[in-house]
Amino acid sequence: MKLDRKTLLLISGATVLFVFAAVLCIAAWSIATAPASGLERPKVTDWMQAWGSIAGVFAGLAAAGAAAALLLHERHRAATAERLLEQERAENALHVPRSVVALPARFGGGVNPNGEQYIDQVHLAVYNHGSTGIRNVAVIVALPEGGPRLLLARAAMLGPGGRWPIDQKSGKPVWYPGPSNIGTLDATVTLCFIDYTNQAWRITSDGEVAPTTTPYFEAEGAAEFPVV
């Protein structure tokens, strides 16, 4: 833990008091063991006064140590409380995007005279199970097995408890090179939208949830059923 200036001063002061107490202990021991010749030998009251001073120093040292320990404890409690608050805020922020889901995409299409598969229709639905509306909703469908990404329609607003069915046809069929039949494709659906706090989100059908500052970069300049 990184200590601030006040805590360092407390620890330094306690260290100084300890050194001072040690010096007093040495002085008291010298007085107690001084030879009888020469000056008058210190009396019992002198010893009691010296040891009383040392006890006072140790009491002050203990008080300083307790104050420093209390300060460190309060700092730790404050840091823990702040960390828990941040975690709670992060969980609350994720409540809105986790309430928005998309059903798996289904596709319509066929095979051209050259034997190439194509897609000309996408069906899916977006649900907002949250208690607040979302806006500027965009849908991107990524086809598996080397297939393209399809940029679908947008919705200006999807209210709380709202359902947005998408049954979008393409005026220009999209070639799909994958070996799987288009009727059995397991595509990844990405939703981009802005919540009521003006935060932009990007979520996918595989569970990824992430804030973003450019939620519609995939769809810039896109026409109906374009390929990225």
Side-chain angles (χ1 to χ4, degrees):
M1 177 185 298
K2 185 177 181 180
L3 303 179
D4 57 13
R5 183 182 178 188
K6 185 175 181 180
T7 304
L8 290 174
L9 288 176
L10 284 174
I11 296 175
S12 300
T15 303
V16 171
L17 288 176
F18 178 80
V19 173
F20 182 63
V23 172
L24 286 181
C25 286
I26 295 173
W29 178 80
S30 299
I31 293 174
T33 58
S37 61
L39 297 177
E40 182 181 358
R41 184 178 180 84
K43 300 177 181 179
V44 174
T45 55
D46 296 328
W47 295 346
M48 293 177 63
Q49 183 177 3
W51 285 108
S53 299
I54 295 175
V57 171
F58 275 106
L61 181 61
L70 179 61
L71 177 61
L72 291 175
H73 176 67
E74 291 300 322
R75 282 171 55 88
H76 178 70
R77 286 184 55 186
T80 301
E82 184 177 355
R83 184 173 63 256
L84 292 177
L85 181 60
E86 288 298 325
Q87 292 176 353
E88 183 178 357
R89 288 174 178 173
E91 286 297 322
N92 291 336
L94 289 175
H95 177 71
V96 172
R98 286 174 176 170
S99 299
V100 181
V101 297
L103 293 181
R106 295 180 294 109
F107 303 92
V111 180
N112 64 18
N114 297 325
E116 299 171 338
Q117 293 189 104
Y118 65 86
I119 293 171
D120 60 6
Q121 194 168 11
V122 179
H123 312 269
L124 60 87
V126 179
Y127 290 85
N128 178 14
H129 297 295
S131 58
T132 59
I134 58 176
R135 57 188 175 88
N136 293 5
V137 188
V139 180
I140 302 94
V141 176
L143 300 178
E145 300 172 341
R149 291 194 299 169
L150 309 177
L151 308 183
L152 305 184
R154 298 187 191 181
M157 178 66 67
L158 184 59
R163 176 179 180 270
W164 176 31
I166 299 176
D167 187 0
Q168 188 170 346
K169 295 182 179 181
S170 173
K172 182 180 179 181
V174 176
W175 174 59
Y176 176 60
S180 298
N181 186 283
I182 60 173
T184 60
L185 294 181
D186 184 17
T188 300
V189 179
T190 299
L191 301 177
C192 298
F193 60 87
I194 299 175
D195 67 13
Y196 71 99
T197 67
N198 209 38
Q199 173 63 55
W201 295 94
R202 187 173 184 267
I203 65 175
T204 62
S205 55
D206 58 9
E208 180 184 355
V209 179
T212 178
T213 57
T214 54
Y216 308 122
F217 68 92
E218 299 96 338
E220 289 181 356
E224 184 182 9
F225 233 63
V227 180
V228 178

